[in-house]
């Protein structure tokens, strides 16, 4: 099946470069290149792509607001691209519904991989971004992020809560399986149950939920 992609960036050379990298792949088709966030929202509504690559800083409508509207109004998944390696942008993009976050100096192969992973329904972050998200998320003030009620987790079984805890710490399925002494297949089932019961789209939202419900205490290192 061909993955249909919209590329949105206000810099024509950057936009064209990403489009060319993706369009030569046998399983990827770039259906539109646009220069601002409003045009990206319109293109997604009109063309129903699988993935939208959105620059964060764009005229008319910035990438984060475009991501928010796309996530709310379609099944299209979004990957945010930026030159700014900033926590603020990561948080805003994830809360807007982004499924991936990559820096613009991403390698060609990693860009293609990101589109395929996100189109398949998974989430993806650049490793440096993922580490900061997990390690520094609780440094964000309560005024900036309203906490979720802890009783939201009451729908989970004890084992599912453990699974969410490990997801929040950034562990892979294999690492969770080792920690819980179960098979990876069982972990995959637990992860699916956690996402479904809490209404979460992907593992990134699970990380956010683990922090905002207080399951992982503020200041707790990710590896503990």
């Amino acid at each position: 099946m061909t993955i249909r992609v919209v590329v949105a960036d206000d810099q024509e050379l950057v936009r064209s470069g990403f489009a060319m990298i993706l369009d030569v792949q046998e399983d990827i088709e770039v259906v539109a290149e646009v220069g601002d966030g409003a045009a990206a929202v319109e293109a997604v509504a009109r063309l129903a792509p699988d993935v939208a690559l959105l620059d964060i800083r764009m005229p008319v409508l910035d990438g984060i607001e475009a991501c928010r509207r796309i996530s709310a109004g379609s099944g299209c998944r979004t990957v945010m691209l930026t030159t700014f390696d900033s926590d603020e942008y990561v948080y805003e993009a994830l809360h807007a519904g982004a499924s991936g976050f990559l820096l613009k100096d991403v390698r060609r192969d990693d860009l293609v991989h990101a589109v395929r992973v996100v189109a398949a329904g998974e989430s993806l972050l650049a490793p440096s971004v993922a580490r900061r998200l997990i390690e520094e998320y609780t440094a964000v003030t309560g005024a900036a992020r309203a906490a979720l009620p802890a009783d939201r987790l009451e729908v989970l079984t004890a084992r599912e809560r453990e699974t969410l805890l490990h997801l929040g710490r950034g562990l892979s399925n294999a690492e969770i399986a080792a920690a819980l002494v179960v098979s990876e297949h069982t972990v995959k089932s637990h992860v699916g149950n956690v996402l479904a019961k809490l209404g979460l789209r992907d593992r990134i939202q699970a990380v956010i939920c683990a922090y905002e419900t207080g399951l992982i205490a503020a200041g707790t290192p990710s590896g503990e």
Side-chain angles (χ1 to χ4, degrees), residues 96-219:
S99 295
F101 193 106
L102 296 173
L103 303 181
K104 281 189 178 179
D105 61 1
V106 62
R107 295 186 310 158
R108 177 188 306 257
D109 290 347
D110 289 339
L111 174 65
V112 174
H113 174 69
V115 169
R116 289 173 176 155
V117 166
V118 170
E122 299 295 328
S123 56
L124 182 144
L125 289 176
S128 62
V129 175
R131 283 196 299 272
R132 285 204 322 280
L133 172 65
I134 294 167
E135 294 171 359
E136 299 180 15
Y137 192 89
T138 52
V140 179
T141 66
R145 291 285 175 268
L148 296 172
D151 60 10
R152 182 181 181 187
L153 303 184
E154 290 179 356
V155 297
L156 302 180
T157 66
R159 184 47 59 95
E160 287 165 356
R161 285 176 67 98
E162 286 183 274
T163 300
L164 177 59
L165 177 65
H166 291 310
L167 286 173
R169 290 170 174 165
L171 273 62
S172 67
N173 282 0
E175 291 168 331
I176 296 174
L180 299 182
V181 195
V182 296
S183 69
E184 286 190 53
H185 177 77
T186 298
V187 170
K188 187 175 181 179
S189 177
H190 288 328
V191 170
N193 289 341
V194 169
L195 298 183
K197 287 184 177 182
L198 297 179
L200 305 174
R201 185 183 60 255
D202 51 37
R203 297 170 79 98
I204 293 176
Q205 287 199 331
V207 172
I208 294 173
C209 180
Y211 281 112
E212 292 193 334
T213 55
L215 183 63
I216 296 180

Side-chain angles (χ1 to χ4, degrees), residues 52-92:
L53 294 183
L54 304 176
D55 182 23
I56 282 189
R57 289 192 174 183
M58 291 189 289
V60 185
L61 193 70
D62 66 49
I64 292 175
E65 182 58 30
C67 173
R68 185 174 290 111
R69 296 185 188 185
I70 289 170
S71 298
S74 75
C76 178
R77 297 171 68 82
T78 56
V79 176
M80 309 304 295
L81 290 159
T82 183
T83 56
F84 303 97
D85 192 6
S86 164
D87 291 335
E88 175 188 358
Y89 294 117
V90 177
Y91 298 139
E92 293 301 322

